[in-house]
Amino acid sequence: MLLAACTGTSRQAQRVSARRTTTTSTSVTAGPGTSATGRNKRATTTAKPLPGLGPGASGPAVQALEQRLAALHYDPGRVDGRYDSTTAFAVMAFQKVTGMARSGRATDDVVAAVQTAGEPAAMIPAGGGDRVEVDLKRQVLFVYQGGSLARILPVSTGSGKRYCVDGECDRAVTPGGSFRVGRKILGDHESKLGHLFNPLFFNGGIAIHGAASVPPYPASHGCVRIPMADSMWFFRTVASGTPVYVIGGPHAPVPFNEPAPGEKPPATTTSTPASTSSSTTSTTAKPTTTSSTTTSTTTPSTTTTSTP
């Protein structure tokens, strides 16, 4: 009896349990989009699709969007009607240029704006037929070839945040100014701050290069990141010596004062005391000649050395 009380159940208890089971086995009919059985109703909801076109979409609407973006000098990749990451980058670049939300999705308002948009105005019209313009505010890059706009790319530049590497600290900034493309390196280049793909150095160790991550906001250590899919085209198209105009940034030193690969670090300059001479015109005197009369106001103890 004690064993039955601890491990088994009585016949009466079994009959009660059977009645309860029969009562609770009644099924509950759920409404559309939901399913439930018994007392535990577990609803199944279907998420609404995101508005507009986005990664994974395909069809004539996507192909028409790609064709129009390509005509406006953005790079949607292959015009094949497939909304891939390259298409998303092209949409994001358009959103940046036009001041729209940087989602990378072609919502109805984006599609309408693409259809009526024109070519954006140049920022440095007199900067040369072949040039690169980097707009730090809009986080976008323009490539000009032969005086015409060739391509518009989304970029991610210096975040402005403080960071440290190997015990050294600096601020992630992309300095503004006018520069020229120097050394170009094909393939993967490992720098002090990470991997740069197909980099074109234009300001010390700062380069325009392909990156796996190009968010819609400034996030780099100072370089100008572009999508990987465009890095080879950019490398082949932009020649060494091409002007690069970085607009909207402070005039600041390169982070860590890092030179481009193969270049010497910038020399440290030491200011020299100002001369006491009031004349800016120097006269070269013979080494053995000592003049007793001079037009400059020098003291008798001052020795003037002429420079060739």
PDB file of all heavy atoms in Angstrom, residues 159-198:
ATOM      1  N   SER A 159      35.954  58.680 -38.101  1.00  0.00           N
ATOM      2  CA  SER A 159      34.829  58.760 -37.166  1.00  0.00           C
ATOM      3  C   SER A 159      34.926  59.945 -36.217  1.00  0.00           C
ATOM      4  O   SER A 159      33.933  60.332 -35.604  1.00  0.00           O
ATOM      5  CB  SER A 159      34.760  57.473 -36.341  1.00  0.00           C
ATOM      6  OG  SER A 159      35.901  57.354 -35.503  1.00  0.00           O
ATOM      7  N   GLY A 160      36.119  60.508 -36.065  1.00  0.00           N
ATOM      8  CA  GLY A 160      36.302  61.596 -35.108  1.00  0.00           C
ATOM      9  C   GLY A 160      36.516  61.121 -33.688  1.00  0.00           C
ATOM     10  O   GLY A 160      36.740  61.927 -32.782  1.00  0.00           O
ATOM     11  N   LYS A 161      36.487  59.805 -33.482  1.00  0.00           N
ATOM     12  CA  LYS A 161      36.644  59.259 -32.141  1.00  0.00           C
ATOM     13  C   LYS A 161      38.126  59.030 -31.809  1.00  0.00           C
ATOM     14  O   LYS A 161      38.958  58.876 -32.688  1.00  0.00           O
ATOM     15  CB  LYS A 161      35.885  57.939 -32.015  1.00  0.00           C
ATOM     16  CG  LYS A 161      34.386  58.071 -32.215  1.00  0.00           C
ATOM     17  CD  LYS A 161      33.696  56.722 -32.104  1.00  0.00           C
ATOM     18  CE  LYS A 161      32.189  56.844 -32.316  1.00  0.00           C
ATOM     19  NZ  LYS A 161      31.514  55.523 -32.245  1.00  0.00           N
ATOM     20  N   ARG A 162      38.419  59.017 -30.536  1.00  0.00           N
ATOM     21  CA  ARG A 162      39.772  58.738 -30.068  1.00  0.00           C
ATOM     22  C   ARG A 162      39.978  57.223 -30.000  1.00  0.00           C
ATOM     23  O   ARG A 162      39.083  56.488 -29.603  1.00  0.00           O
ATOM     24  CB  ARG A 162      39.993  59.365 -28.691  1.00  0.00           C
ATOM     25  CG  ARG A 162      41.418  59.249 -28.157  1.00  0.00           C
ATOM     26  CD  ARG A 162      41.568  60.036 -26.859  1.00  0.00           C
ATOM     27  NE  ARG A 162      42.868  59.839 -26.250  1.00  0.00           N
ATOM     28  CZ  ARG A 162      43.972  60.468 -26.601  1.00  0.00           C
ATOM     29  NH1 ARG A 162      43.916  61.361 -27.583  1.00  0.00           N
ATOM     30  NH2 ARG A 162      45.123  60.245 -25.999  1.00  0.00           N
ATOM     31  N   TYR A 163      41.150  56.759 -30.418  1.00  0.00           N
ATOM     32  CA  TYR A 163      41.448  55.335 -30.406  1.00  0.00           C
ATOM     33  C   TYR A 163      42.927  55.141 -30.089  1.00  0.00           C
ATOM     34  O   TYR A 163      43.731  56.076 -30.203  1.00  0.00           O
ATOM     35  CB  TYR A 163      41.104  54.692 -31.750  1.00  0.00           C
ATOM     36  CG  TYR A 163      41.946  55.200 -32.897  1.00  0.00           C
ATOM     37  CD1 TYR A 163      43.083  54.517 -33.308  1.00  0.00           C
ATOM     38  CD2 TYR A 163      41.606  56.366 -33.570  1.00  0.00           C
ATOM     39  CE1 TYR A 163      43.863  54.981 -34.352  1.00  0.00           C
ATOM     40  CE2 TYR A 163      42.376  56.840 -34.616  1.00  0.00           C
ATOM     41  CZ  TYR A 163      43.502  56.150 -35.008  1.00  0.00           C
ATOM     42  OH  TYR A 163      44.275  56.620 -36.035  1.00  0.00           O
ATOM     43  N   CYS A 164      43.277  53.928 -29.705  1.00  0.00           N
ATOM     44  CA  CYS A 164      44.654  53.615 -29.334  1.00  0.00           C
ATOM     45  C   CYS A 164      45.085  52.331 -30.020  1.00  0.00           C
ATOM     46  O   CYS A 164      44.305  51.376 -30.133  1.00  0.00           O
ATOM     47  CB  CYS A 164      44.791  53.453 -27.820  1.00  0.00           C
ATOM     48  SG  CYS A 164      44.347  54.934 -26.859  1.00  0.00           S
ATOM     49  N   VAL A 165      46.333  52.299 -30.485  1.00  0.00           N
ATOM     50  CA  VAL A 165      46.931  51.126 -31.114  1.00  0.00           C
ATOM     51  C   VAL A 165      48.352  50.982 -30.582  1.00  0.00           C
ATOM     52  O   VAL A 165      49.156  51.917 -30.678  1.00  0.00           O
ATOM     53  CB  VAL A 165      46.953  51.249 -32.651  1.00  0.00           C
ATOM     54  CG1 VAL A 165      47.664  50.050 -33.263  1.00  0.00           C
ATOM     55  CG2 VAL A 165      45.544  51.366 -33.205  1.00  0.00           C
ATOM     56  N   ASP A 166      48.661  49.820 -30.017  1.00  0.00           N
ATOM     57  CA  ASP A 166      50.006  49.530 -29.496  1.00  0.00           C
ATOM     58  C   ASP A 166      50.490  50.609 -28.531  1.00  0.00           C
ATOM     59  O   ASP A 166      51.648  51.039 -28.567  1.00  0.00           O
ATOM     60  CB  ASP A 166      51.001  49.388 -30.652  1.00  0.00           C
ATOM     61  CG  ASP A 166      50.671  48.213 -31.551  1.00  0.00           C
ATOM     62  OD1 ASP A 166      50.050  47.251 -31.063  1.00  0.00           O
ATOM     63  OD2 ASP A 166      51.035  48.261 -32.746  1.00  0.00           O
ATOM     64  N   GLY A 167      49.582  51.065 -27.682  1.00  0.00           N
ATOM     65  CA  GLY A 167      49.960  52.039 -26.668  1.00  0.00           C
ATOM     66  C   GLY A 167      49.975  53.478 -27.147  1.00  0.00           C
ATOM     67  O   GLY A 167      50.182  54.391 -26.346  1.00  0.00           O
ATOM     68  N   GLU A 168      49.768  53.715 -28.435  1.00  0.00           N
ATOM     69  CA  GLU A 168      49.700  55.076 -28.969  1.00  0.00           C
ATOM     70  C   GLU A 168      48.253  55.441 -29.234  1.00  0.00           C
ATOM     71  O   GLU A 168      47.480  54.619 -29.701  1.00  0.00           O
ATOM     72  CB  GLU A 168      50.505  55.197 -30.264  1.00  0.00           C
ATOM     73  CG  GLU A 168      51.993  54.989 -30.117  1.00  0.00           C
ATOM     74  CD  GLU A 168      52.705  55.185 -31.449  1.00  0.00           C
ATOM     75  OE1 GLU A 168      52.998  56.350 -31.795  1.00  0.00           O
ATOM     76  OE2 GLU A 168      52.929  54.187 -32.152  1.00  0.00           O
ATOM     77  N   CYS A 169      47.899  56.670 -28.943  1.00  0.00           N
ATOM     78  CA  CYS A 169      46.523  57.128 -29.108  1.00  0.00           C
ATOM     79  C   CYS A 169      46.458  58.335 -30.028  1.00  0.00           C
ATOM     80  O   CYS A 169      47.388  59.149 -30.075  1.00  0.00           O
ATOM     81  CB  CYS A 169      45.891  57.467 -27.756  1.00  0.00           C
ATOM     82  SG  CYS A 169      45.816  56.064 -26.605  1.00  0.00           S
ATOM     83  N   ASP A 170      45.372  58.431 -30.763  1.00  0.00           N
ATOM     84  CA  ASP A 170      45.156  59.545 -31.671  1.00  0.00           C
ATOM     85  C   ASP A 170      43.662  59.654 -31.927  1.00  0.00           C
ATOM     86  O   ASP A 170      42.871  58.880 -31.397  1.00  0.00           O
ATOM     87  CB  ASP A 170      45.926  59.341 -32.978  1.00  0.00           C
ATOM     88  CG  ASP A 170      46.320  60.660 -33.639  1.00  0.00           C
ATOM     89  OD1 ASP A 170      45.587  61.649 -33.453  1.00  0.00           O
ATOM     90  OD2 ASP A 170      47.350  60.707 -34.317  1.00  0.00           O
ATOM     91  N   ARG A 171      43.287  60.626 -32.753  1.00  0.00           N
ATOM     92  CA  ARG A 171      41.887  60.812 -33.091  1.00  0.00           C
ATOM     93  C   ARG A 171      41.660  60.465 -34.557  1.00  0.00           C
ATOM     94  O   ARG A 171      42.448  60.835 -35.420  1.00  0.00           O
ATOM     95  CB  ARG A 171      41.451  62.258 -32.817  1.00  0.00           C
ATOM     96  CG  ARG A 171      39.946  62.469 -32.917  1.00  0.00           C
ATOM     97  CD  ARG A 171      39.543  63.799 -32.311  1.00  0.00           C
ATOM     98  NE  ARG A 171      39.829  63.863 -30.902  1.00  0.00           N
ATOM     99  CZ  ARG A 171      39.062  63.343 -29.946  1.00  0.00           C
ATOM    100  NH1 ARG A 171      37.954  62.705 -30.274  1.00  0.00           N
ATOM    101  NH2 ARG A 171      39.389  63.460 -28.684  1.00  0.00           N
ATOM    102  N   ALA A 172      40.590  59.730 -34.827  1.00  0.00           N
ATOM    103  CA  ALA A 172      40.281  59.283 -36.189  1.00  0.00           C
ATOM    104  C   ALA A 172      39.692  60.443 -36.977  1.00  0.00           C
ATOM    105  O   ALA A 172      38.531  60.797 -36.808  1.00  0.00           O
ATOM    106  CB  ALA A 172      39.298  58.123 -36.151  1.00  0.00           C
ATOM    107  N   VAL A 173      40.513  61.040 -37.826  1.00  0.00           N
ATOM    108  CA  VAL A 173      40.070  62.198 -38.597  1.00  0.00           C
ATOM    109  C   VAL A 173      40.557  62.067 -40.034  1.00  0.00           C
ATOM    110  O   VAL A 173      41.652  61.556 -40.285  1.00  0.00           O
ATOM    111  CB  VAL A 173      40.591  63.507 -37.965  1.00  0.00           C
ATOM    112  CG1 VAL A 173      42.115  63.526 -37.919  1.00  0.00           C
ATOM    113  CG2 VAL A 173      40.083  64.730 -38.712  1.00  0.00           C
ATOM    114  N   THR A 174      39.727  62.485 -40.973  1.00  0.00           N
ATOM    115  CA  THR A 174      40.119  62.589 -42.372  1.00  0.00           C
ATOM    116  C   THR A 174      40.340  64.071 -42.661  1.00  0.00           C
ATOM    117  O   THR A 174      39.372  64.823 -42.785  1.00  0.00           O
ATOM    118  CB  THR A 174      39.034  62.021 -43.307  1.00  0.00           C
ATOM    119  OG1 THR A 174      38.758  60.666 -42.943  1.00  0.00           O
ATOM    120  CG2 THR A 174      39.486  62.070 -44.756  1.00  0.00           C
ATOM    121  N   PRO A 175      41.591  64.519 -42.746  1.00  0.00           N
ATOM    122  CA  PRO A 175      41.845  65.949 -42.913  1.00  0.00           C
ATOM    123  C   PRO A 175      41.313  66.472 -44.244  1.00  0.00           C
ATOM    124  O   PRO A 175      41.359  65.794 -45.268  1.00  0.00           O
ATOM    125  CB  PRO A 175      43.377  66.044 -42.863  1.00  0.00           C
ATOM    126  CG  PRO A 175      43.825  64.772 -42.210  1.00  0.00           C
ATOM    127  CD  PRO A 175      42.823  63.743 -42.615  1.00  0.00           C
ATOM    128  N   GLY A 176      40.795  67.688 -44.219  1.00  0.00           N
ATOM    129  CA  GLY A 176      40.343  68.330 -45.438  1.00  0.00           C
ATOM    130  C   GLY A 176      41.503  68.993 -46.158  1.00  0.00           C
ATOM    131  O   GLY A 176      42.560  69.243 -45.585  1.00  0.00           O
ATOM    132  N   GLY A 177      41.324  69.273 -47.432  1.00  0.00           N
ATOM    133  CA  GLY A 177      42.359  69.944 -48.208  1.00  0.00           C
ATOM    134  C   GLY A 177      42.451  69.411 -49.619  1.00  0.00           C
ATOM    135  O   GLY A 177      41.629  68.607 -50.070  1.00  0.00           O
ATOM    136  N   SER A 178      43.483  69.869 -50.317  1.00  0.00           N
ATOM    137  CA  SER A 178      43.743  69.470 -51.699  1.00  0.00           C
ATOM    138  C   SER A 178      44.991  68.601 -51.736  1.00  0.00           C
ATOM    139  O   SER A 178      46.044  69.004 -51.239  1.00  0.00           O
ATOM    140  CB  SER A 178      43.934  70.704 -52.581  1.00  0.00           C
ATOM    141  OG  SER A 178      42.791  71.538 -52.534  1.00  0.00           O
ATOM    142  N   PHE A 179      44.889  67.437 -52.348  1.00  0.00           N
ATOM    143  CA  PHE A 179      45.981  66.472 -52.371  1.00  0.00           C
ATOM    144  C   PHE A 179      46.083  65.848 -53.762  1.00  0.00           C
ATOM    145  O   PHE A 179      45.324  66.195 -54.665  1.00  0.00           O
ATOM    146  CB  PHE A 179      45.741  65.384 -51.318  1.00  0.00           C
ATOM    147  CG  PHE A 179      45.343  65.901 -49.961  1.00  0.00           C
ATOM    148  CD1 PHE A 179      43.999  66.000 -49.597  1.00  0.00           C
ATOM    149  CD2 PHE A 179      46.302  66.322 -49.055  1.00  0.00           C
ATOM    150  CE1 PHE A 179      43.627  66.491 -48.360  1.00  0.00           C
ATOM    151  CE2 PHE A 179      45.942  66.814 -47.807  1.00  0.00           C
ATOM    152  CZ  PHE A 179      44.601  66.898 -47.463  1.00  0.00           C
ATOM    153  N   ARG A 180      47.019  64.933 -53.904  1.00  0.00           N
ATOM    154  CA  ARG A 180      47.148  64.173 -55.147  1.00  0.00           C
ATOM    155  C   ARG A 180      47.404  62.706 -54.812  1.00  0.00           C
ATOM    156  O   ARG A 180      48.036  62.396 -53.804  1.00  0.00           O
ATOM    157  CB  ARG A 180      48.297  64.713 -56.016  1.00  0.00           C
ATOM    158  CG  ARG A 180      47.987  66.048 -56.671  1.00  0.00           C
ATOM    159  CD  ARG A 180      49.078  66.450 -57.658  1.00  0.00           C
ATOM    160  NE  ARG A 180      48.801  67.748 -58.246  1.00  0.00           N
ATOM    161  CZ  ARG A 180      48.056  67.948 -59.329  1.00  0.00           C
ATOM    162  NH1 ARG A 180      47.542  66.897 -59.957  1.00  0.00           N
ATOM    163  NH2 ARG A 180      47.850  69.149 -59.799  1.00  0.00           N
ATOM    164  N   VAL A 181      46.907  61.841 -55.683  1.00  0.00           N
ATOM    165  CA  VAL A 181      47.141  60.410 -55.505  1.00  0.00           C
ATOM    166  C   VAL A 181      48.622  60.135 -55.669  1.00  0.00           C
ATOM    167  O   VAL A 181      49.250  60.575 -56.635  1.00  0.00           O
ATOM    168  CB  VAL A 181      46.333  59.578 -56.520  1.00  0.00           C
ATOM    169  CG1 VAL A 181      46.717  58.106 -56.444  1.00  0.00           C
ATOM    170  CG2 VAL A 181      44.845  59.763 -56.286  1.00  0.00           C
ATOM    171  N   GLY A 182      49.189  59.423 -54.714  1.00  0.00           N
ATOM    172  CA  GLY A 182      50.600  59.047 -54.780  1.00  0.00           C
ATOM    173  C   GLY A 182      50.746  57.588 -55.131  1.00  0.00           C
ATOM    174  O   GLY A 182      50.421  57.168 -56.235  1.00  0.00           O
ATOM    175  N   ARG A 183      51.175  56.813 -54.162  1.00  0.00           N
ATOM    176  CA  ARG A 183      51.410  55.396 -54.419  1.00  0.00           C
ATOM    177  C   ARG A 183      50.102  54.612 -54.449  1.00  0.00           C
ATOM    178  O   ARG A 183      49.180  54.873 -53.667  1.00  0.00           O
ATOM    179  CB  ARG A 183      52.328  54.817 -53.343  1.00  0.00           C
ATOM    180  CG  ARG A 183      52.736  53.375 -53.628  1.00  0.00           C
ATOM    181  CD  ARG A 183      53.693  52.833 -52.589  1.00  0.00           C
ATOM    182  NE  ARG A 183      54.049  51.446 -52.907  1.00  0.00           N
ATOM    183  CZ  ARG A 183      54.735  50.647 -52.108  1.00  0.00           C
ATOM    184  NH1 ARG A 183      55.162  51.101 -50.940  1.00  0.00           N
ATOM    185  NH2 ARG A 183      55.023  49.415 -52.463  1.00  0.00           N
ATOM    186  N   LYS A 184      50.027  53.646 -55.364  1.00  0.00           N
ATOM    187  CA  LYS A 184      48.893  52.732 -55.486  1.00  0.00           C
ATOM    188  C   LYS A 184      49.392  51.311 -55.241  1.00  0.00           C
ATOM    189  O   LYS A 184      50.448  50.931 -55.745  1.00  0.00           O
ATOM    190  CB  LYS A 184      48.269  52.840 -56.883  1.00  0.00           C
ATOM    191  CG  LYS A 184      47.772  54.221 -57.235  1.00  0.00           C
ATOM    192  CD  LYS A 184      47.459  54.363 -58.721  1.00  0.00           C
ATOM    193  CE  LYS A 184      46.447  53.350 -59.209  1.00  0.00           C
ATOM    194  NZ  LYS A 184      46.093  53.552 -60.638  1.00  0.00           N
ATOM    195  N   ILE A 185      48.636  50.540 -54.473  1.00  0.00           N
ATOM    196  CA  ILE A 185      49.024  49.161 -54.171  1.00  0.00           C
ATOM    197  C   ILE A 185      47.874  48.244 -54.561  1.00  0.00           C
ATOM    198  O   ILE A 185      46.755  48.376 -54.049  1.00  0.00           O
ATOM    199  CB  ILE A 185      49.367  48.981 -52.684  1.00  0.00           C
ATOM    200  CG1 ILE A 185      50.541  49.880 -52.296  1.00  0.00           C
ATOM    201  CG2 ILE A 185      49.696  47.524 -52.380  1.00  0.00           C
ATOM    202  CD1 ILE A 185      50.911  49.813 -50.823  1.00  0.00           C
ATOM    203  N   LEU A 186      48.141  47.313 -55.460  1.00  0.00           N
ATOM    204  CA  LEU A 186      47.127  46.376 -55.908  1.00  0.00           C
ATOM    205  C   LEU A 186      47.002  45.231 -54.912  1.00  0.00           C
ATOM    206  O   LEU A 186      47.996  44.643 -54.496  1.00  0.00           O
ATOM    207  CB  LEU A 186      47.497  45.832 -57.288  1.00  0.00           C
ATOM    208  CG  LEU A 186      46.512  44.839 -57.923  1.00  0.00           C
ATOM    209  CD1 LEU A 186      45.164  45.495 -58.158  1.00  0.00           C
ATOM    210  CD2 LEU A 186      47.087  44.291 -59.223  1.00  0.00           C
ATOM    211  N   GLY A 187      45.779  44.932 -54.528  1.00  0.00           N
ATOM    212  CA  GLY A 187      45.548  43.823 -53.610  1.00  0.00           C
ATOM    213  C   GLY A 187      45.437  44.261 -52.165  1.00  0.00           C
ATOM    214  O   GLY A 187      45.170  45.427 -51.865  1.00  0.00           O
ATOM    215  N   ASP A 188      45.681  43.327 -51.281  1.00  0.00           N
ATOM    216  CA  ASP A 188      45.529  43.550 -49.840  1.00  0.00           C
ATOM    217  C   ASP A 188      46.817  44.124 -49.263  1.00  0.00           C
ATOM    218  O   ASP A 188      47.890  43.540 -49.405  1.00  0.00           O
ATOM    219  CB  ASP A 188      45.174  42.230 -49.155  1.00  0.00           C
ATOM    220  CG  ASP A 188      44.986  42.374 -47.655  1.00  0.00           C
ATOM    221  OD1 ASP A 188      44.845  43.513 -47.180  1.00  0.00           O
ATOM    222  OD2 ASP A 188      44.973  41.337 -46.962  1.00  0.00           O
ATOM    223  N   HIS A 189      46.707  45.279 -48.617  1.00  0.00           N
ATOM    224  CA  HIS A 189      47.852  45.894 -47.947  1.00  0.00           C
ATOM    225  C   HIS A 189      47.537  46.012 -46.461  1.00  0.00           C
ATOM    226  O   HIS A 189      46.498  46.548 -46.075  1.00  0.00           O
ATOM    227  CB  HIS A 189      48.145  47.276 -48.529  1.00  0.00           C
ATOM    228  CG  HIS A 189      49.152  48.052 -47.733  1.00  0.00           C
ATOM    229  ND1 HIS A 189      50.494  47.724 -47.719  1.00  0.00           N
ATOM    230  CD2 HIS A 189      49.008  49.132 -46.911  1.00  0.00           C
ATOM    231  CE1 HIS A 189      51.135  48.576 -46.931  1.00  0.00           C
ATOM    232  NE2 HIS A 189      50.258  49.431 -46.435  1.00  0.00           N
ATOM    233  N   GLU A 190      48.431  45.484 -45.636  1.00  0.00           N
ATOM    234  CA  GLU A 190      48.238  45.547 -44.190  1.00  0.00           C
ATOM    235  C   GLU A 190      48.969  46.754 -43.633  1.00  0.00           C
ATOM    236  O   GLU A 190      50.186  46.876 -43.761  1.00  0.00           O
ATOM    237  CB  GLU A 190      48.732  44.270 -43.516  1.00  0.00           C
ATOM    238  CG  GLU A 190      48.432  44.220 -42.028  1.00  0.00           C
ATOM    239  CD  GLU A 190      48.805  42.898 -41.389  1.00  0.00           C
ATOM    240  OE1 GLU A 190      49.342  42.021 -42.112  1.00  0.00           O
ATOM    241  OE2 GLU A 190      48.575  42.735 -40.182  1.00  0.00           O
ATOM    242  N   SER A 191      48.228  47.650 -43.032  1.00  0.00           N
ATOM    243  CA  SER A 191      48.799  48.847 -42.434  1.00  0.00           C
ATOM    244  C   SER A 191      48.733  48.733 -40.914  1.00  0.00           C
ATOM    245  O   SER A 191      48.269  47.728 -40.364  1.00  0.00           O
ATOM    246  CB  SER A 191      48.043  50.099 -42.898  1.00  0.00           C
ATOM    247  OG  SER A 191      46.768  50.159 -42.282  1.00  0.00           O
ATOM    248  N   LYS A 192      49.166  49.771 -40.255  1.00  0.00           N
ATOM    249  CA  LYS A 192      49.152  49.789 -38.800  1.00  0.00           C
ATOM    250  C   LYS A 192      47.726  49.701 -38.259  1.00  0.00           C
ATOM    251  O   LYS A 192      47.501  49.180 -37.164  1.00  0.00           O
ATOM    252  CB  LYS A 192      49.820  51.080 -38.299  1.00  0.00           C
ATOM    253  CG  LYS A 192      49.973  51.178 -36.800  1.00  0.00           C
ATOM    254  CD  LYS A 192      50.745  52.435 -36.417  1.00  0.00           C
ATOM    255  CE  LYS A 192      50.974  52.494 -34.920  1.00  0.00           C
ATOM    256  NZ  LYS A 192      51.766  53.692 -34.531  1.00  0.00           N
ATOM    257  N   LEU A 193      46.768  50.166 -39.047  1.00  0.00           N
ATOM    258  CA  LEU A 193      45.394  50.231 -38.571  1.00  0.00           C
ATOM    259  C   LEU A 193      44.464  49.215 -39.207  1.00  0.00           C
ATOM    260  O   LEU A 193      43.252  49.275 -39.030  1.00  0.00           O
ATOM    261  CB  LEU A 193      44.844  51.648 -38.805  1.00  0.00           C
ATOM    262  CG  LEU A 193      45.609  52.763 -38.097  1.00  0.00           C
ATOM    263  CD1 LEU A 193      45.039  54.112 -38.452  1.00  0.00           C
ATOM    264  CD2 LEU A 193      45.580  52.556 -36.587  1.00  0.00           C
ATOM    265  N   GLY A 194      45.022  48.261 -39.982  1.00  0.00           N
ATOM    266  CA  GLY A 194      44.163  47.240 -40.556  1.00  0.00           C
ATOM    267  C   GLY A 194      44.485  46.947 -42.004  1.00  0.00           C
ATOM    268  O   GLY A 194      45.536  47.352 -42.528  1.00  0.00           O
ATOM    269  N   HIS A 195      43.568  46.246 -42.676  1.00  0.00           N
ATOM    270  CA  HIS A 195      43.766  45.828 -44.058  1.00  0.00           C
ATOM    271  C   HIS A 195      43.112  46.822 -45.018  1.00  0.00           C
ATOM    272  O   HIS A 195      41.941  47.183 -44.845  1.00  0.00           O
ATOM    273  CB  HIS A 195      43.181  44.430 -44.270  1.00  0.00           C
ATOM    274  CG  HIS A 195      43.980  43.347 -43.611  1.00  0.00           C
ATOM    275  ND1 HIS A 195      44.962  42.631 -44.260  1.00  0.00           N
ATOM    276  CD2 HIS A 195      43.957  42.874 -42.341  1.00  0.00           C
ATOM    277  CE1 HIS A 195      45.501  41.758 -43.436  1.00  0.00           C
ATOM    278  NE2 HIS A 195      44.910  41.884 -42.256  1.00  0.00           N
ATOM    279  N   LEU A 196      43.864  47.238 -46.016  1.00  0.00           N
ATOM    280  CA  LEU A 196      43.385  48.153 -47.051  1.00  0.00           C
ATOM    281  C   LEU A 196      43.422  47.406 -48.378  1.00  0.00           C
ATOM    282  O   LEU A 196      44.466  46.876 -48.760  1.00  0.00           O
ATOM    283  CB  LEU A 196      44.259  49.415 -47.129  1.00  0.00           C
ATOM    284  CG  LEU A 196      44.704  50.059 -45.803  1.00  0.00           C
ATOM    285  CD1 LEU A 196      45.571  51.272 -46.085  1.00  0.00           C
ATOM    286  CD2 LEU A 196      43.499  50.443 -44.960  1.00  0.00           C
ATOM    287  N   PHE A 197      42.310  47.372 -49.085  1.00  0.00           N
ATOM    288  CA  PHE A 197      42.247  46.646 -50.354  1.00  0.00           C
ATOM    289  C   PHE A 197      42.338  47.628 -51.525  1.00  0.00           C
ATOM    290  O   PHE A 197      41.568  48.568 -51.620  1.00  0.00           O
ATOM    291  CB  PHE A 197      40.958  45.829 -50.432  1.00  0.00           C
ATOM    292  CG  PHE A 197      40.896  44.721 -49.420  1.00  0.00           C
ATOM    293  CD1 PHE A 197      40.346  44.931 -48.167  1.00  0.00           C
ATOM    294  CD2 PHE A 197      41.416  43.466 -49.717  1.00  0.00           C
ATOM    295  CE1 PHE A 197      40.297  43.912 -47.227  1.00  0.00           C
ATOM    296  CE2 PHE A 197      41.367  42.443 -48.783  1.00  0.00           C
ATOM    297  CZ  PHE A 197      40.814  42.664 -47.541  1.00  0.00           C
ATOM    298  N   ASN A 198      43.354  47.389 -52.375  1.00  0.00           N
ATOM    299  CA  ASN A 198      43.607  48.242 -53.537  1.00  0.00           C
ATOM    300  C   ASN A 198      43.691  49.725 -53.138  1.00  0.00           C
ATOM    301  O   ASN A 198      42.987  50.575 -53.688  1.00  0.00           O
ATOM    302  CB  ASN A 198      42.512  48.048 -54.593  1.00  0.00           C
ATOM    303  CG  ASN A 198      42.392  46.606 -55.044  1.00  0.00           C
ATOM    304  OD1 ASN A 198      43.385  45.906 -55.195  1.00  0.00           O
ATOM    305  ND2 ASN A 198      41.168  46.158 -55.267  1.00  0.00           N
TER     306      ASN A 198
END
